[in-house]
Amino acid sequence: MKTLSLGEPRLTLGLDRYRRVSHDAHRALHGTLPDLGTDDLITLAGMGGLRGRGGAGFPFARKLRAVQTAAARRQAGTRVVVNAAEGEPGSAKDAMLLTRAPHLVLDGAELAARALGAPQVVVGIADRGTRGSDADPVSESLREAVAERSAVSVVGFRVVRMPHRFVSGQSGALIQGVNGRIPLPPGTPVRASDTGVDGLPTLLSNAETYAQLALLASGGADAYAAVGTADQPGTVLLTVGGDTVVEAPAGTPLVHVLGVCGAPPAQAVLVGGYHGSWLDPPAVARARLSRSRMAEIGGTLGAGIVLPLAEGVCPLGESARVLRYLARESAGQCGPCVRGLPALADAFTALISGEGDPAAAAAAAGIGDGKGACAHPDGTAAFARSALRVFADDASRHALGGSCGRPVRGLLPMPGDRPEPRPRLSVDWSRCDGHGLCAELLPDLIRLDANGYPEDPDLPVPAFQEAEADRAVRMCPALALRVSSP
């Protein structure tokens, strides 16, 4: 994982010297924690204009006040949770912080816990296939950090592993998991500030937010606002291309970030992740790293995910691949997810094969509109609508000619650190007449034997070839092919 800083480093301070910033090195770089009460911390967060960095951008001061108010009303205790589950495949910023600068995150969380009187901080991380072991870098770094702080911290720390799934990063799913339930978003929205961990008022925010809080508390509001914009002081962390984490002042031009990262010319850039928006080149040229400036051009900063899409590939095919992934990753507990998301993926598949049209795909994107049990259908629909809008010319070419002439390469990141069941393409030998069309449509997947029949009657379908496999099934003259779900 590559880490860069544009301008004076803050969150990334010291990373040019240390592989991992120990507690002693952290205190030398950032100082010690101040002692702030709840009201003082709320005031500081408000003066610093601190908002959540997990996607929604909710004002942190209002979260603190909500937890304080709920605890006073119920005469109950409080809990503090760090959301570092990072279900988005294109995001790595929170994992980078916990791996290389963990004490910034833990400082911010402990600061909030002290102010609210919470006895413990819970850190939710993704289970990346090392269950029962601390071998992964995030777990190992957290283990070392907690040990390093044991002599000075007045609160405890607990690490909870979450399944590495897209919806596991949602706040409701994390609360469910911490409470020992299945880590899926609850069927009805519940505010963590009212009822969270152990049923108590809970302050929940993502890892970067707590790190930003630590910076704000150590330097003060004026120093914090020395960079950034009037409505978004400070810096932001971005994950560019899935493998480079960049810290940049809010308001920085997006093209500058892409240039520093060495990104090649792109036909479009996805901002905000797989619930985000595509930007065409003119919009990219105007984009600035702030919520308000992104909104002006139809984009979203979200969790700071930036994915340039290289030229020479089919953008709708790449988008269809993401939609198929999002359909598989749903919580499966409401109609818009269970029926709507697969139908939306099918509509895109039909469009890129020439058997559908943009209007049908747009209609399929009407699955959300607030009808789902969580935000997953709405976010997925927004991504699909963005693709139809930005790639409208490509959609027309597919609808008229069945192809835009460009391949699907699978360039957008998908989970690669855990084995996933794949759809399988199978041949019904009782029907197959050896036409050979399937090998023409899927030359990288199907090989014919000496008699002109497929050599292997059952094959896993790579993610980037799902659309082509569906097309081969529909075009087989003998109806001898089928794709089975994983």
Side-chain angles (χ1 to χ4, degrees):
M1 177 65 60
K2 187 177 181 181
T3 304
L4 302 173
S5 177
L6 306 186
E8 183 180 351
R10 293 184 170 193
L11 297 169
T12 55
L13 182 63
L15 298 190
D16 58 338
R17 286 177 281 164
Y18 303 103
R19 179 192 62 82
R20 175 187 175 276
V21 180
S22 69
H23 193 233
D24 287 341
H26 166 78
R27 295 177 73 172
L29 291 168
H30 298 284
T32 58
L33 282 177
D35 189 12
L36 299 175
T38 311
D39 290 335
D40 290 338
L41 191 59
I42 291 171
T43 299
L44 180 65
M47 292 176 60
L50 180 61
R51 290 176 175 264
R53 305 304 175 91
F58 196 80
F60 192 78
R62 287 173 58 186
K63 276 191 177 184
L64 278 166
R65 180 70 73 189
V67 174
Q68 180 194 46
T69 301
R73 183 181 67 249
R74 295 174 51 187
Q75 296 185 338
T78 60
R79 297 291 185 265
V80 172
V81 175
V82 179
N83 187 352
E86 253 179 342
E88 281 263 10
S91 182
K93 66 184 180 68
D94 290 341
M96 184 281 293
L97 281 173
L98 289 177
T99 302
R100 302 198 60 195
H103 293 288
L104 266 179
V105 178
L106 299 185
D107 263 8
E110 181 171 345
L111 190 66
R114 286 183 183 181
L116 291 168
Q120 186 183 66
V121 171
V122 178
V123 184
I125 64 173
D127 185 345
R128 300 178 184 272
T130 56
R131 186 176 295 280
S133 168
D134 284 334
D136 70 282
V138 173
S139 292
E140 180 65 19
S141 178
L142 277 174
R143 184 191 64 77
E144 293 180 23
V146 171
E148 290 167 347
R149 302 171 70 90
S150 60
V152 295
S153 291
V154 298
V155 302
F157 294 91
R158 177 162 68 104
V159 178
V160 176
R161 294 173 184 263
M162 299 288 290
H164 194 200
R165 293 194 57 201
F166 191 89
V167 296
S168 297
Q170 293 193 23
S171 60
L174 179 56
I175 293 295
Q176 293 275 82
V178 173
N179 283 335
R181 304 188 184 99
I182 298 174
L184 294 175
T188 55
V190 178
R191 288 186 297 184
S193 59
D194 290 331
T195 304
V197 173
D198 300 328
L200 297 174
T202 298
L203 179 69
L204 186 152
S205 205
N206 89 309
E208 185 195 343
T209 309
Y210 286 110
Q212 295 281 3
L213 178 65
L215 290 178
L216 175 59
S218 64
D222 289 341
Y224 187 78
V227 299
T229 64
D231 64 339
Q232 188 169 337
T235 63
V236 297
L237 275 185
L238 306 173
T239 310
V240 181
D243 60 2
T244 302
V245 176
V246 181
E247 181 181 18
T252 299
L254 179 59
V255 291
H256 182 40
V257 175
L258 295 173
V260 169
C261 291
Q267 57 180 308
V269 176
L270 180 64
V271 292
Y274 291 163
H275 281 178
S277 303
W278 286 106
L279 300 180
D280 60 18
V284 172
R286 301 195 307 274
R288 299 292 187 273
L289 302 182
S290 77
R291 290 176 302 276
S292 59
R293 295 296 297 274
M294 280 289 185
E296 290 173 2
I297 58 173
T300 175
L301 192 58
I305 298 167
V306 177
L307 296 171
L309 184 63
E311 298 174 343
V313 298
C314 174
L316 289 174
E318 298 286 346
S319 298
R321 175 173 168 266
V322 171
L323 291 172
R324 188 68 63 186
Y325 159 75
L326 293 174
R328 291 196 302 268
E329 289 291 293
S330 80
Q333 55 189 5
C334 68
C337 267
V338 173
R339 293 184 295 276
L341 294 182
L344 177 56
D346 288 343
F348 263 67
T349 297
L351 173 61
I352 61 178
S353 67
E355 297 184 4
D357 62 75
I367 56 171
D369 299 330
K371 300 172 185 175
C374 69
H376 192 53
D378 284 352
T380 303
F383 169 83
R385 287 169 174 152
S386 170
L388 291 172
R389 181 180 66 253
V390 172
F391 306 125
D393 291 343
D394 297 272
S396 297
R397 282 193 287 271
H398 277 281
L400 293 174
S403 173
C404 65
R406 291 173 289 177
V408 178
R409 298 294 188 194
L411 299 184
L412 298 176
M414 293 290 171
D417 48 13
R418 60 182 174 90
E420 291 189 75
R422 300 297 318 147
R424 302 191 74 84
L425 180 70
S426 58
V427 180
D428 183 348
W429 291 123
S430 67
R431 292 178 176 269
C432 183
D433 290 330
H435 291 90
L437 179 60
C438 56
E440 295 181 20
L441 295 172
L442 294 165
D444 296 329
L445 188 63
I446 295 178
R447 295 288 185 271
L448 301 181
D449 61 20
N451 298 313
Y453 291 89
E455 290 181 347
D456 195 329
D458 186 63
L459 293 164
V461 181
F464 69 91
Q465 288 192 307
E466 288 179 16
E468 288 87 343
D470 288 339
R471 184 184 181 201
V473 169
R474 288 190 292 270
M475 295 186 67
C476 177
L479 304 178
L481 297 178
R482 65 185 296 267
V483 173
S484 60
S485 299

